[in-house]
Amino acid sequence: EVDGVNLEEIREFAKAFKIRRLSLGLTQTQVGQALSATEGPAYSQSAICRFEKLDITPKSAQKIKPVLERWMAEAEARHRAGMQNLTEFIGSEPSKKRKRRTSFTPQALEILNAHFEKNTHPSGQEMTEIAEKLNYDREVVRVWFCNKRQALKNTIKRLKQHEPATAVPLEPLTDSLEENS
Protein backbone atom coordinates (compact mmCIF):
# COMPACT_ATOMS: atom_id res chain seq x y z
CA GLU A 1 0.00 0.00 0.00
CA VAL A 2 1.15 3.51 -0.88
CA ASP A 3 -0.82 6.58 0.28
CA GLY A 4 -3.68 4.27 1.25
CA VAL A 5 -3.82 2.81 -2.27
CA ASN A 6 -3.64 -0.95 -2.77
CA LEU A 7 -1.08 -1.16 -5.60
CA GLU A 8 -1.69 -4.86 -6.26
CA GLU A 9 -5.41 -4.20 -6.75
CA ILE A 10 -4.63 -1.37 -9.18
CA ARG A 11 -2.10 -3.55 -11.04
CA GLU A 12 -4.64 -6.38 -11.42
CA PHE A 13 -7.37 -4.02 -12.57
CA ALA A 14 -5.09 -2.32 -15.14
CA LYS A 15 -4.19 -5.72 -16.61
CA ALA A 16 -7.83 -6.85 -16.68
CA PHE A 17 -8.96 -3.53 -18.15
CA LYS A 18 -6.51 -3.82 -21.04
CA ILE A 19 -7.60 -7.40 -21.76
CA ARG A 20 -11.29 -6.42 -21.66
CA ARG A 21 -10.64 -3.37 -23.89
CA LEU A 22 -8.79 -5.48 -26.45
CA SER A 23 -11.46 -8.20 -26.37
CA LEU A 24 -14.01 -5.54 -27.36
CA GLY A 25 -11.69 -4.50 -30.19
CA LEU A 26 -11.27 -1.01 -28.78
CA THR A 27 -8.19 1.18 -29.06
CA GLN A 28 -6.89 3.43 -26.29
CA THR A 29 -7.84 6.33 -28.58
CA GLN A 30 -11.48 5.21 -28.75
CA VAL A 31 -11.69 4.79 -24.98
CA GLY A 32 -10.00 8.17 -24.45
CA GLN A 33 -12.33 9.95 -26.87
CA ALA A 34 -15.43 8.40 -25.31
CA LEU A 35 -14.28 9.21 -21.77
CA SER A 36 -13.12 12.73 -22.64
CA ALA A 37 -16.58 13.43 -24.08
CA THR A 38 -18.35 12.30 -20.90
CA GLU A 39 -15.78 12.77 -18.10
CA GLY A 40 -13.58 15.60 -19.36
CA PRO A 41 -10.09 15.97 -20.85
CA ALA A 42 -8.32 14.30 -17.90
CA TYR A 43 -9.37 10.94 -19.40
CA SER A 44 -7.57 11.21 -22.74
CA GLN A 45 -5.92 8.45 -24.76
CA SER A 46 -2.59 9.21 -23.07
CA ALA A 47 -4.21 8.87 -19.62
CA ILE A 48 -5.55 5.44 -20.63
CA CYS A 49 -2.10 4.48 -21.94
CA ARG A 50 -0.34 5.62 -18.75
CA PHE A 51 -2.89 3.78 -16.61
CA GLU A 52 -2.47 0.51 -18.53
CA LYS A 53 1.34 0.78 -18.26
CA LEU A 54 1.03 1.82 -14.59
CA ASP A 55 3.08 4.92 -15.42
CA ILE A 56 0.85 6.93 -13.09
CA THR A 57 0.85 8.01 -9.45
CA PRO A 58 -1.06 5.78 -7.01
CA LYS A 59 -3.47 8.65 -6.21
CA SER A 60 -4.21 9.24 -9.92
CA ALA A 61 -4.69 5.50 -10.47
CA GLN A 62 -7.14 5.36 -7.57
CA LYS A 63 -9.03 8.32 -9.04
CA ILE A 64 -9.30 6.92 -12.60
CA LYS A 65 -10.07 3.30 -11.60
CA PRO A 66 -13.78 3.74 -10.68
CA VAL A 67 -14.38 5.81 -13.83
CA LEU A 68 -12.82 3.07 -15.98
CA GLU A 69 -14.78 0.37 -14.11
CA ARG A 70 -18.11 2.13 -14.75
CA TRP A 71 -17.24 2.87 -18.37
CA MET A 72 -16.07 -0.67 -19.14
CA ALA A 73 -19.21 -2.21 -17.56
CA GLU A 74 -21.35 0.04 -19.78
CA ALA A 75 -19.26 -0.75 -22.90
CA GLU A 76 -19.51 -4.51 -22.26
CA ALA A 77 -23.28 -4.30 -21.66
CA ARG A 78 -23.73 -2.41 -24.93
CA HIS A 79 -21.48 -4.91 -26.75
CA ARG A 80 -23.69 -7.77 -25.51
CA ALA A 81 -26.73 -5.85 -26.78
CA GLY A 82 -25.14 -5.57 -30.24
CA MET A 83 -22.14 -3.99 -31.92
CA GLN A 84 -24.24 -1.02 -33.11
CA ASN A 85 -24.95 -0.06 -29.47
CA LEU A 86 -21.22 -0.13 -28.68
CA THR A 87 -20.36 2.03 -31.71
CA GLU A 88 -22.96 4.60 -30.63
CA PHE A 89 -21.49 4.57 -27.13
CA ILE A 90 -17.84 5.05 -28.09
CA GLY A 91 -18.34 7.14 -31.21
CA SER A 92 -16.33 6.43 -34.32
CA GLU A 93 -12.62 6.86 -34.91
CA PRO A 94 -11.76 10.28 -36.32
CA SER A 95 -11.30 10.25 -40.08
CA LYS A 96 -7.90 11.96 -39.81
CA LYS A 97 -5.36 9.17 -39.42
CA ARG A 98 -1.91 9.76 -37.98
CA LYS A 99 1.05 9.47 -40.29
CA ARG A 100 3.01 6.26 -39.91
CA ARG A 101 5.98 6.46 -37.57
CA THR A 102 9.24 6.92 -39.49
CA SER A 103 11.85 4.21 -39.15
CA PHE A 104 15.37 5.46 -39.71
CA THR A 105 18.02 3.26 -41.25
CA PRO A 106 21.20 2.78 -39.18
CA GLN A 107 23.10 4.73 -41.87
CA ALA A 108 20.63 7.63 -41.66
CA LEU A 109 20.91 7.69 -37.85
CA GLU A 110 24.68 7.76 -38.13
CA ILE A 111 24.50 10.80 -40.45
CA LEU A 112 21.85 12.55 -38.32
CA ASN A 113 23.86 11.99 -35.13
CA ALA A 114 27.03 13.29 -36.82
CA HIS A 115 25.19 16.47 -37.85
CA PHE A 116 23.73 16.80 -34.34
CA GLU A 117 27.20 16.60 -32.77
CA LYS A 118 28.36 19.48 -34.98
CA ASN A 119 25.20 21.57 -34.62
CA THR A 120 22.12 20.88 -32.49
CA HIS A 121 20.12 23.65 -34.23
CA PRO A 122 20.65 23.38 -38.00
CA SER A 123 19.17 26.11 -40.21
CA GLY A 124 16.18 25.44 -42.42
CA GLN A 125 18.49 25.20 -45.42
CA GLU A 126 20.71 22.65 -43.64
CA MET A 127 17.69 20.56 -42.69
CA THR A 128 16.44 20.62 -46.27
CA GLU A 129 19.87 19.45 -47.49
CA ILE A 130 20.03 16.66 -44.88
CA ALA A 131 16.46 15.54 -45.75
CA GLU A 132 17.27 15.45 -49.48
CA LYS A 133 20.53 13.59 -48.89
CA LEU A 134 18.77 10.95 -46.73
CA ASN A 135 15.59 10.87 -48.82
CA TYR A 136 13.28 11.76 -45.90
CA ASP A 137 10.72 14.55 -45.62
CA ARG A 138 12.17 17.80 -44.27
CA GLU A 139 9.55 17.71 -41.48
CA VAL A 140 10.75 14.24 -40.40
CA VAL A 141 14.31 15.59 -40.10
CA ARG A 142 13.11 18.70 -38.22
CA VAL A 143 11.18 16.56 -35.73
CA TRP A 144 14.18 14.22 -35.32
CA PHE A 145 16.35 17.20 -34.27
CA CYS A 146 13.64 18.44 -31.87
CA ASN A 147 13.33 15.00 -30.29
CA LYS A 148 17.09 14.57 -30.08
CA ARG A 149 17.48 17.95 -28.32
CA GLN A 150 14.71 17.01 -25.88
CA ALA A 151 16.31 13.62 -25.18
CA LEU A 152 19.64 15.34 -24.49
CA LYS A 153 17.92 17.83 -22.17
CA ASN A 154 16.21 14.96 -20.29
CA THR A 155 19.49 13.05 -19.96
CA ILE A 156 21.25 16.11 -18.52
CA LYS A 157 18.36 16.64 -16.09
CA ARG A 158 18.53 12.99 -14.96
CA LEU A 159 22.29 13.15 -14.47
CA LYS A 160 21.97 16.32 -12.38
CA GLN A 161 19.41 14.60 -10.13
CA HIS A 162 21.88 11.79 -9.40
CA GLU A 163 24.77 14.12 -8.47
CA PRO A 164 25.49 14.20 -4.73
CA ALA A 165 23.72 17.23 -3.27
CA THR A 166 26.52 17.83 -0.77
CA ALA A 167 29.25 18.37 -3.38
CA VAL A 168 31.14 21.51 -2.43
CA PRO A 169 33.02 23.26 -5.24
CA LEU A 170 36.76 23.33 -4.65
CA GLU A 171 38.31 26.74 -4.25
CA PRO A 172 40.82 27.67 -6.95
CA LEU A 173 44.34 26.85 -5.87
CA THR A 174 45.67 30.29 -6.80
CA ASP A 175 43.44 32.10 -4.28
CA SER A 176 44.77 30.12 -1.33
CA LEU A 177 48.36 30.60 -2.47
CA GLU A 178 47.92 34.38 -2.76
CA GLU A 179 46.46 34.55 0.76
CA ASN A 180 49.53 32.82 2.20
CA SER A 181 52.10 35.14 0.58
Side-chain angles (χ1 to χ4, degrees), residues 33-177:
Q33 286 172 336
L35 280 169
S36 290
T38 58
E39 304 289 334
Y43 300 96
S44 64
Q45 177 266 327
S46 55
I48 306 303
C49 178
R50 285 193 305 272
F51 180 80
E52 286 183 0
K53 289 190 332 186
L54 297 171
D55 184 14
I56 190 171
T57 65
K59 284 278 188 220
S60 296
Q62 188 178 37
K63 188 177 162 200
I64 196 172
K65 182 179 177 259
V67 174
L68 293 178
E69 281 174 323
R70 277 195 315 273
W71 188 87
M72 183 54 76
E74 174 78 10
E76 287 173 332
R78 286 175 177 261
H79 182 260
R80 283 190 296 276
M83 203 54 203
Q84 184 57 40
N85 289 324
L86 180 62
T87 305
E88 286 170 14
F89 180 57
I90 60 162
S92 56
E93 286 269 358
S95 58
K96 183 181 173 231
K97 290 282 184 199
R98 283 182 62 173
K99 189 179 170 296
R100 269 183 55 89
R101 185 183 179 102
T102 302
S103 294
F104 293 96
T105 64
Q107 297 84 352
L109 286 172
E110 204 173 297
I111 291 166
L112 286 165
N113 281 311
H115 279 282
F116 187 82
E117 282 184 31
K118 287 183 219 147
N119 180 8
T120 58
H121 288 80
S123 68
Q125 179 60 41
E126 288 172 306
M127 275 196 256
T128 301
E129 288 168 9
I130 294 167
E132 286 172 1
K133 179 180 176 184
L134 298 176
N135 201 20
Y136 288 109
D137 287 345
R138 183 186 180 283
E139 180 66 4
V140 167
V141 172
R142 186 192 69 77
V143 169
W144 185 90
F145 273 91
C146 288
N147 291 344
K148 186 74 173 174
R149 285 192 299 269
Q150 188 61 51
L152 178 63
K153 190 175 169 185
N154 291 342
T155 301
I156 290 167
K157 196 166 139 187
R158 254 195 326 276
L159 290 172
K160 283 185 177 175
Q161 286 174 348
H162 294 297
E163 282 180 5
T166 56
V168 179
L170 295 173
E171 289 183 28
L173 193 57
T174 54
D175 288 358
S176 57
L177 288 176

